[in-house]
Amino acid sequence: MGKIIALANQKGGVGKTTSAVNLAASLGVLGKKILLVDLDPQGSATSSLGVSKKSLRFSVADLLIGGCRPDNAVIRTEFEGLDLLPANITLAATEFDLIEKEDAESHLRRALSTLRDDYDFVILDCPPSLGMLTVNAMVASDGVIIPMQCEFFALEGLVQLMTTIGQLKRRYNPRLAIIGILVTMYNGRLALSTDVLAELQKHYPDRVFKAKIARNARLSEAPGFGVPVYYHDKGSAGTKEYLRAAKELLERI
Ligand SMILES: Nc1ncnc2c1ncn2[C@@H]1O[C@H](COP(=O)(O)OP(=O)(O)O)[C@@H](O)[C@H]1O
Ligand SMILES: [Mg+2]
């Protein structure tokens, strides 16, 4: 049974999608079988893998409301070991519909219950909010990875996120673990970055990934080509750092 891991942070633009796509692809390169689930109505993970959002026959939205069989919605990709459960803007309406349903928080858990057997890991790319889609992700998951930029307000947001994770864990999903905080877009020459990192390490000593992701142009270009960074530039710092983070993830889980 594959482990389900959510990449979550209610803040937008912190590197959730970049980390979900590139951790998933790196784990695939390391020989694992991966399902990447796009849970953001913006569908950035979907386009990052070169899949057109407009021409989807089925998406994760159909799966959440029981509108298709799980294997109908899964797309095989050209990347090693990597399958995709895509999303597009229809997911926004689905999130709204879910709220009215019974067991609104556990639809994703149910949808993935048999699908997960086909994979070593199911990676969930969450939207930038703590709404019903993120709640569904946390309820379905074995663990959470929190991508974080070392900025002034980051720690405040983190405290709020940790509180929410604690509440969901008590109420719905006792096995939910915090796998780690992954520092993204890191710049070791900025005092603010190093200060925030030091604070993070002080408050959450065992939780911060040793692998840090620096700002790297290849990482921001790759989605434009519809490929994970490994398939855009194997020698880039971004490729190496996400491979390192993927290996650390295998040790942490
Ligand atoms: N390490 C990085 N180096 C350079 N650009 C990055 C890096 N990580 C993310 N980005 C860019 O920052 C923006 C926001 O990242 P994204 O992964 O979409 O965040 P989120 O999913 O949290 O909203 C995107 O344009 C992405 O390409
Ligand atoms: Mg995103």
Side-chain angles (χ1 to χ4, degrees), residues 150 155 186 191-205 208:
C150 287
L155 287 166
Y186 186 68
L192 180 60
S193 284
T194 53
D195 287 354
V196 172
L197 179 61
E199 279 292 295
L200 260 185
Q201 281 162 338
K202 190 171 109 197
H203 290 289
Y204 306 99
V208 184

Side-chain angles (χ1 to χ4, degrees), residues 105-125:
E105 74 290 338
S106 14
H107 279 241
L108 184 66
R109 166 149 63 183
R110 234 172 300 134
L112 294 177
S113 64
T114 53
L115 204 49
R116 68 188 301 181
D117 291 340
D118 298 338
Y119 298 93
D120 295 310
F121 293 97
V122 179
I123 306 283
L124 312 176
D125 181 28

Side-chain angles (χ1 to χ4, degrees), residues 13 15-18 40 42 44-45 125-128:
K16 285 183 292 297
T17 301
T18 305
D40 188 339
Q42 292 185 68
S44 313
D125 181 28
C126 291

Side-chain angles (χ1 to χ4, degrees), residues 6 137-144 165-166 168-169 173-178:
M138 304 273 196
V139 171
S141 291
D142 299 292
V144 191
I165 292 171
L168 289 171
K169 186 176 159 113
N173 183 8
R175 71 179 192 292
L176 182 64
I178 294 169

Side-chain angles (χ1 to χ4, degrees), residues 42-169:
Q42 292 185 68
S44 313
T46 300
S47 0
S48 296
L49 294 189
V51 172
S52 161
K53 288 182 278 195
K54 289 197 194 111
S55 54
L56 299 177
R57 205 157 88 81
F58 295 113
S59 72
V60 71
D62 300 290
L63 198 60
L64 279 171
I65 53 163
C68 72
R69 293 216 331 261
D71 46 330
N72 285 146
V74 171
I75 297 175
R76 321 269 157 213
T77 75
E78 63 196 283
F79 313 114
E80 251 176 281
L82 185 57
D83 287 352
L84 170 72
L85 201 46
N88 59 20
I89 193 67
T90 60
L91 186 57
T94 304
E95 175 168 36
F96 203 71
D97 291 344
L98 268 186
I99 295 167
E100 311 243 290
K101 295 204 187 262
E102 214 174 298
D103 299 332
E105 74 290 338
S106 14
H107 279 241
L108 184 66
R109 166 149 63 183
R110 234 172 300 134
L112 294 177
S113 64
T114 53
L115 204 49
R116 68 188 301 181
D117 291 340
D118 298 338
Y119 298 93
D120 295 310
F121 293 97
V122 179
I123 306 283
L124 312 176
D125 181 28
C126 291
S129 77
L130 293 174
M132 198 43 84
L133 291 168
T134 300
V135 168
N136 263 264
M138 304 273 196
V139 171
S141 291
D142 299 292
V144 191
I145 293 175
I146 304 171
M148 226 188 93
Q149 240 181 307
C150 287
E151 287 182 341
F152 188 68
F153 289 115
L155 287 166
E156 252 174 58
L158 185 62
V159 170
Q160 191 192 354
L161 181 57
M162 291 289 196
T163 306
T164 305
I165 292 171
Q167 285 165 344
L168 289 171
K169 186 176 159 113

